[in-house]
Amino acid sequence: MKTVFLGLAITFLWWLGLINGLYMRPGEPVPDVLIYLTGASWLIALLGALMLWSGKHKPGFILVIIGSICFVPLGLVTVYGARRANRKSDEASLEERRALAEKSSR
């Protein structure tokens, strides 16, 4: 989960730089659509990260991926962290199913 929040922090800092015009020529305005699109994408990724943190791994993983698409290549850090968090939950559920199958076969 640390990686997910690290990726969110990196993309948030990038978004703040976009708002302040760091990536544009002097005097050139940043298109409002770009600011709103990246802000909405970041909020979707944040919602997904909070869902991952609360234990809803599958929908949270999907929302993190959807929200991070706009931030490639920086968003790949967030996607990697979400994938690791989702994999850990899959392994835990697999162990639970194995234990349940073992109990039912006895």
Side-chain angles (χ1 to χ4, degrees):
M1 283 303 302
K2 290 178 187 177
T3 311
V4 175
F5 288 109
L6 174 68
L8 284 173
I10 291 170
T11 54
F12 183 74
L13 290 175
W14 182 87
W15 183 60
L16 286 179
L18 180 68
I19 290 173
N20 290 323
L22 294 178
Y23 313 121
M24 307 299 279
R25 293 186 191 117
E28 186 177 344
V30 179
D32 289 337
V33 172
L34 185 61
I35 291 173
Y36 295 135
L37 176 70
T38 54
S41 294
W42 187 83
L43 287 174
I44 290 170
L46 177 66
L47 179 65
L50 293 175
M51 289 177 77
L52 276 171
W53 189 48
S54 70
K56 298 178 181 176
H57 293 281
K58 195 66 166 179
F61 175 67
I62 292 169
L63 284 176
V64 167
I65 289 176
I66 290 171
S68 297
I69 287 173
C70 187
F71 296 105
V72 171
L74 293 176
L76 294 177
V77 174
T78 312
V79 171
Y80 174 73
R83 188 171 154 223
R84 284 183 55 201
N86 192 36
R87 187 178 333 139
K88 288 179 183 176
S89 72
D90 287 345
E91 290 172 2
S93 67
L94 179 61
E95 293 300 322
E96 291 172 2
R97 288 185 297 204
R98 284 182 182 164
L100 184 62
E102 189 175 300
K103 286 181 184 178
S104 65
S105 66
R106 289 182 185 175

